[in-house]
Each structure stands twice: as structure tokens, then as C-alpha cells.
Amino acid sequence: MTRKNADGGGRSTIRDVAARAGVSAATVSRVLGGVYPVSTATRTQVLRAVRELDYVADARAKAIAGAGTPTLGFVLDDITGPSFALMAHGVEREATRLGHLCLVCSTDGDAAHESDFIETMRAQRAAAVILVGGGADTPEYRSRTARFADALAAAGSRLVLCGRPPLDPGAPVTVIEYDNEGGAYALCAHVLSRGHRRILFLGGEPEHTTAQGRERGYLAAHHARGVEADPALRLAGDFTRDSGYRSMRRALETGLDFTAVMAATDMVAAGALTALREAGVDVPGEVSLVGYDDIPFARDLWPPLTTVRVPYEELGRLAVRTALRSAGVGDEHLLLGTHVVVRGSVGVVGGGVSSAG
Amino acid sequence: MTRKNADGGGRSTIRDVAARAGVSAATVSRVLGGVYPVSTATRTQVLRAVRELDYVADARAKAIAGAGTPTLGFVLDDITGPSFALMAHGVEREATRLGHLCLVCSTDGDAAHESDFIETMRAQRAAAVILVGGGADTPEYRSRTARFADALAAAGSRLVLCGRPPLDPGAPVTVIEYDNEGGAYALCAHVLSRGHRRILFLGGEPEHTTAQGRERGYLAAHHARGVEADPALRLAGDFTRDSGYRSMRRALETGLDFTAVMAATDMVAAGALTALREAGVDVPGEVSLVGYDDIPFARDLWPPLTTVRVPYEELGRLAVRTALRSAGVGDEHLLLGTHVVVRGSVGVVGGGVSSAG
DNA sequence: GTGAAAGCGCTAACAC
DNA sequence: GTGTTAGCGCTTTCAC
């Protein structure tokens, strides 16, 4: 059984085209390849054969022979989260703009998946692999990731951490992050400045780097104001709407004492808001609420959510640009700024109701 | 300058490993390949060499030689939309579960990008390419897409339409869609049943298949009730929050007469809701509002949004499963059901306020 | 069990 | 300008 078929199958090879055009495979390669000198007559012949056979060169073969489209791998927790999606979009757009292909994989927070995928990207000889979003920061994680970074670097590739803090210095990684802690600090300072002293923190998984950064900002702001942060006011969870809803209900049932809540993400804030409303608590009249991320509909909640703006898409774009540039060894580190967006969900303690800006 | 390096670079080839282990390349291939009979001694040698060299086989070379991980391409408008993200997640999860790699590309609604990418996937010899979400339904689109379907099929691959209506019958495509029109019909019927007679429809781009389907449902429901649908009540836009906000403002400024609004998506509804609120219009007291998609935070809006539930993630999963199964020629068509989720954003005309369910 | 050799589909010297 | 000849890094007969 032969593989060749002369009619319009996609399975035809460069030799089929050559045969049909009455030239050599090399010539076909040349006309297809671009600007190599080929006579107009042959070029026409070849192009006709290509069209008739509906020939498309095998990219894998090209790649292995030296030409070929470079590929970029990116892995994220869950494309479903709005902020992840924004970063992914930035990565994808910039990559295709630069003529790269994109391989994706979502890990659902599973570190083993992450390892597997990095290995796969290595096998694909990806020009860079981008880890999008925070992750669990354990010692195992750090050493494993550092190993990957080395392996990738040794192969002329590159590991990029996008929205995740650097590994130990010296590891050949590119990191593009935003000022997670700084944003949380500013946000919490804003809430404190309105007189709140007992602020419930609805956090993420304890080892998640993003959650940690935001909690550090929360703590630092308290410290700077000389306000003691009651540990009982810090609840763990994850970054989903449902987690926010559940945590808030629990806090309410437990009879926790607080006048404001700072949610780790806008999604968490959305869930918390609903729980608050169901309990008949007025926001921001009785309890103030802030989120983090400034996702598109943060302004569509009622009251419009005060939150922290993060340049997620920019982050993704920069990640690929920087990765592709800094192909050499050495680590690179970019830190993007954030800013708080004041809307109407924070009230003055014991005072008026709204603080829209 | 030689490519080989004996130390732990990722650039080592199977021959480097063979040399170091004192065996032939074929043997290395065999121990790595799986269950071919190899003596324990050699196996150990080889594995040690692999480890020392940190060798990872080149997936492209494998692919071209016959082995290799199958790849799946998927293209969507914009990963940033919640429903797209859900489908993408389903696709990605199922694909990696089945041991496939995923190549992505977002087109930002540009048909040319779509064509380019399908061509690229053909070059990659993807096992299937999945078009996620609706698109502009023009004659050019239909013929172009049918051509791609043929080309892919001829090459043993497959075109899958996920959340998009079929092409002309006979085209070798797999389509997994949901009952877009049916959902809109049920939703609109619900609104009509509450006494509304002038329902503003905040649609999408006129040629977008999803927008069209939803509009058809809207129209059909009117027709079934014998209510005339005023064309002036149908506004075009896109599926973003901002589009909803702008359209709603315009409708309000124009002094359009309506008692309910049916938004093409929940995102559109979110924007519309804010515009309504800013204009001091009570929802659902004065105007009722419904969306479509049932994205996670639809329930976090105030009032909680009545909408249509679509099994997006399931859609994505089914797309890859079906695609990979129906590798032969012939078209396959799955239609998933939807259902309306009644929450609190629809009121009875001239009557009470809420209709939470 | 293992090696030598052929070949996957392509590109890139090197000839003429 | 164009054909011939080597590879690219791997798998897979086919011998031994």
C-alpha cells in the first residue's frame, strides 16, 4: 500500500509536487521557500502543481531540517479565571504577532501536570515556555523549577515566570511580575484610611504565591498604621466566586467581628458580596468590600467594586517579548506597577455611606 | 563548530546517548520506546546515559518518523470571553487527557487569521482542528470553510465546529453545538409570559452565527405569542460588557419605549445593568433584564440575573472526543440542550417586582 | 538482544 | 537556474 496519492489529498509530499511539475524536490523547496532565484516558468509550473495537489509542507519535517516555525509553550492553572485569560490572551497575541506557534496546557493547579508539560515542551524544542500565574511555592517546587530552567537554558530555550515571583537568584529565568504586595498594601491602606480596623481577609491557598503576596500587603498596611491584624480575620480558600461565597457565609455564621472585607480577587469579592446581601448586610453601609484584579465587570456589581488594577494583558505580551529577546543566559526581572481603582464599595466607618471616586 | 555536547545540555541527540552508553542508536530508541526486549544490563546503561545527558527526544523527529504525540489545534475569537474560556478549558482538558497536545490561536474575529491558522494546523498535521464559538456567516466563509474541511479530511484529519452551526450538508465536518435558538426562545417566552410586550434586544454583530441564533429565538417567541416584534427594538453590538453599556445608554437617550431587555450575553447584560442603574431605572421594578450563558457571576449581579444555561465546558470536551472518534469521512452533528435559569431580574409588567425562583 | 541500514519529508550545501 | 547529494533526529525493518 502506497502513501502517495496524486489527487487533492493533503498527504502529498514535496516529491509528488516535484514529479507533477517535472522538476526536482529542491526546486519545489526553493519556490516555496521564498526568494531564491527560480525561473518564472518553473515557478509557475510548481505553483500549479502545488495548487492542484493542495500541497502543504509538513511543518515538523521543516523544523527538523532547520527551517520551521518556532513554538512557544504556555501553561496556566485554569484558563477559566478572568485574569488568567487576560494574560493568556496577551501571550497568544504577541506570540502570533511574532510568528510563533502556541502550545497550551492547563494544570488545574496540579504540579505534576506542570512538570509533565514542561518536559513535553522541551521535547518540542519550544523557544520558550511561559508559566502563567502564581503557583504553590514549596521547596520542591523551587528546586524542580530551577532544574527545568537550567535544562531549558542549556537547550537554548528559556523559562519565563509570568505573574509569579522569581526563584532563587542565579536561575536562568525571565520573570515578569506585577507588584502584588504593593497593590494589596495600597488597597488595604485605603480601607484603613476610612477608619476600618477589623478587615476580614478572604485569601487563597496558603502556599499560592499570589495569595501570599496579597496577604503580605494586607499585613504590611496594618503594620504601617500600627493596627494589629487579628489572625482570626484571615480565611483561606481559592480564587473562585464560590470560594468567596462560602467563606463569607462561614464568617457570618461564626459571628466574626469586622467592618470591611478584602477579597483576594474580584471573583472572590463577587461571591462574598452575594453572601453579604443574602444575609441582609448592606454594602458599603454596614460592611465595606474590596477586590483585586479589576476584571471587566467589577464595575457592574452593586455597589461598584473598589479594586486593584493589574496590567494582565500587558504582562503576557511582555513575557513573550522579553523571553524571546533574552535568549542568552542570565536572569531578567520586570516588575509592573498596579494602582487601586476607587469605586463605591468602601464606606467610612461610623460615618457616611459611599466613597465613590 | 559541532552541535554535540557531552554534558547536560538539552541538545544531545540519540546518538550521543548511544555513544555514552556504548550501544547503537537503535537500542536507545528501543529502551526509550517502551516494551521492546532489551537486556536489563543495557537498559540500565542507556537510562543512566539518558539521565546524565538529560536527554529528551525531539518530538518533531519522532513525529516525522512515525511515532509522536498527536496534536490538536483550536482557534477561538477571544479567549477573554467567559464562555469561550469555558469551551477552551473543556477542549484542553479532554485533549490532554487523551494524550494530545494543544495548539491555540485567537483570531479576534478576523476571518483571515482563521484561515491562516487552519493552514498552519494542516502543516502541523494536526489530528483535528476545532473552531470554537460562533463566527461571521457569509457565503465566502461557508465555501472557504468547506474547502478546509475537505482538505483536512483528505489528509486524515478533521474539522470540528464547536458552538457554531453546520455548513452545507455533505461537508466532512463534525459539529457540536447547543440549542442557541431554543434557549433564546424559552428565555424570551418567559419574559413575554410576564406580560412584557416591548422587549429590547441587545444583539451582536449582524452576521455572527451566535447572535443570529439568539435573535431567531427572540423573534420566534414573539411570533408564537402573536406579539409583533418592533424592529426598532433590536440593536446590534458585540458580546462585551462595554457594548452592552453603550447600547443601553443609547437606547435610554433615544427614548426608546420598552419594559424589558434581553441581552445577547451575560456580559452585555452586565453592562446594560450598569447603564440602567446610572440612569436611575430600577431593575426589575421598571425594566426587566435577562442575559445568556449563565457565567459564574451572573448570580452576583443585583438583581441576580435570569439567563440561559449553556453546557460550554461539556461542549468543548465532546468536540474533541467526537472529532477523534469520527476520523472517517461523513458528517456528525450533536445538539446539546440548554435551559433557562430563573433568578430575580424579571418582573411582572404592571405588577409586583420580583420573580426569583 | 543488538547493530547496520533504510527512510520519514524536508532543506542546504555543492555541483554543473 | 536547477539537479544531486547529504544530512536533520528519530524509528523500524532486516540481519546476525
Side-chain angles (χ1 to χ4, degrees), chain A residues 138-165:
Chain A
T138 62
E140 296 77 39
Y141 157 75
R142 297 182 87 86
S143 67
R144 182 169 40 79
T145 308
R147 256 204 331 281
F148 282 133
D150 286 331
L152 251 13
S157 179
R158 188 96 195 143
L159 184 65
V160 185
L161 270 24
C162 179
R164 183 181 300 199

Side-chain angles (χ1 to χ4, degrees), chain A residues 188-210:
Chain A
C188 191
H190 169 73
V191 176
L192 286 165
S193 77
R194 299 315 180 97
H196 297 275
R197 286 301 172 264
R198 293 190 61 79
I199 308 174
L200 180 64
F201 181 75
L202 262 29
E205 287 138 1
E207 277 170 335
H208 193 97
T209 54
T210 304

Side-chain angles (χ1 to χ4, degrees), chain B residues 14-15 17-19 21 23-33 46 50 55:
Chain B
I14 197 171
R15 269 185 287 276
V17 178
V23 297
S24 75
T27 302
V28 175
S29 174
R30 294 199 261 251
V31 336
L32 259 29
V46 170
V50 166
Y55 169 74

Side-chain angles (χ1 to χ4, degrees), chain B residues 29 56 152 169 172 196 205 243 340:
Chain B
S29 174
V56 178
L152 250 15
H196 297 275
E205 286 136 2
S243 170
V340 356

